[in-house]
């Protein structure tokens, strides 16, 4: 007597064998354990919809814009670029400062061109304030920003501090996550 194999029976048997080996493979390869803090950071990066990037038009600040674009590209985050013209307290806040505003507009335009390369939506914000850090923190609160990205210089300032006054104020008063990007010191 010759046993005959029906094609439907062979397909069901093949499906059963493949399913069984798939389940065995899955059981022998459990997912890696991710600490809770790392998992929370991963979720927060994927949930970012608005990123604020202060710029001063220098290479380290433009590197911050590039980092913001890379962090926000997967979820199509909006990049808000800001330049704050600091007006000394000895002058009225509305005093004309055409050179400073032109410098700010040029910095914003360069930063905007970086964002356009990534195809992300962006806004340019030119503001006047007494302290840039306070103004940036205010913008973050009012516009419901999810993350601020600060590009900082690689060399310490005159006092030997890496974080300047503006960065320090942003870190203290920011209502959201702040990412600091520092280039390695060139040798």
């Amino acid at each position: 007597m010759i046993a005959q194999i029906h094609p439907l029976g062979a397909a069901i048997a093949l499906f059963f064998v493949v399913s069984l080996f798939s389940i065995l493979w899955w059981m022998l390869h459990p997912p890696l354990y991710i600490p809770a803090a790392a998992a929370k950071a991963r979720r927060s990066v994927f949930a970012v919809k608005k990123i604020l990037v202060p710029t001063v038009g220098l290479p380290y600040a433009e590197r911050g814009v590039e980092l913001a674009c890379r962090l926000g590209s997967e979820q199509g985050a909006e990049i808000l670029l800001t330049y704050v013209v600091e007006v000394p307290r000895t002058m009225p806040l509305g005093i004309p400062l055409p050179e400073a505003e032109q410098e700010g507009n040029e910095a914003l335009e360069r930063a905007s061109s970086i964002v356009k390369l990534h195809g992300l939506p962006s806004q340019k914000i030119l503001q006047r304030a007494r302290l840039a850090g306070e103004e940036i923190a205010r913008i973050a609160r009012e516009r419901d920003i999810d993350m601020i990205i600060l590009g900082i210089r690689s060399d310490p300032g005159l006092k030997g501090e890496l974080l300047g006054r503006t960065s320090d104020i942003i870190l203290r008063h920011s209502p959201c996550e702040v990412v600091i990007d520092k280039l390695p010191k060139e040798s």
Side-chain angles (χ1 to χ4, degrees):
M1 180 173 174
I2 298 174
Q4 292 188 354
I5 300 174
H6 192 273
L8 181 60
I12 291 172
L14 180 65
F15 175 76
F16 178 75
V17 170
V18 169
S19 299
L20 181 65
F21 280 107
S22 297
I23 290 171
L24 285 174
W25 183 88
W26 176 77
M27 290 174 66
L28 295 173
H29 296 87
L32 296 175
Y33 171 74
I34 299 174
K40 187 175 180 181
R42 185 176 177 182
R43 279 194 305 272
S44 74
V45 168
F46 286 122
V48 169
K49 298 293 180 202
K50 286 185 179 179
I51 301 174
L52 180 64
V53 187
T55 184
V56 290
L58 294 174
Y60 61 82
E62 292 173 352
R63 181 181 156 97
V65 175
E66 176 66 22
L67 177 63
C69 292
R70 290 179 184 261
L71 285 176
S73 65
E74 191 167 323
Q75 62 275 20
E78 182 178 14
I79 310 295
L80 285 82
L81 306 163
T82 185
Y83 185 100
V84 178
V85 175
E86 284 188 317
V87 180
R89 292 189 189 279
T90 56
M91 299 177 174
L93 198 55
I95 191 168
L97 297 168
E99 290 178 19
E101 289 182 356
Q102 181 181 349
E103 185 178 314
N105 283 322
E106 289 171 3
L108 288 172
E109 200 56 44
R110 282 195 305 276
S112 180
S113 67
I114 296 169
V115 177
K116 284 180 185 169
L117 289 174
H118 293 273
L120 295 172
S122 67
Q123 286 184 33
K124 295 182 278 188
I125 305 166
L126 180 67
Q127 291 286 353
R128 291 168 164 244
R130 301 291 183 197
L131 292 172
E134 288 180 359
E135 183 64 13
I136 292 165
R138 186 192 64 77
I139 292 169
R141 275 190 302 276
E142 287 184 358
R143 299 202 180 210
D144 200 22
I145 297 296
D146 299 312
M147 179 183 286
I148 297 173
I149 296 185
L150 288 174
I152 63 171
R153 61 182 179 267
S154 58
D155 293 323
L158 295 175
K159 297 178 183 175
E161 299 170 344
L162 271 177
L163 294 178
R165 180 187 64 191
T166 301
S167 301
D168 186 60
I169 292 172
I170 292 170
L171 287 171
R172 290 177 192 274
H173 300 286
S174 164
C176 59
E177 190 172 347
V178 178
V179 175
I180 295 177
D181 179 49
K182 175 190 158 297
L183 280 170
K185 190 174 181 177
E186 293 182 18
S187 54

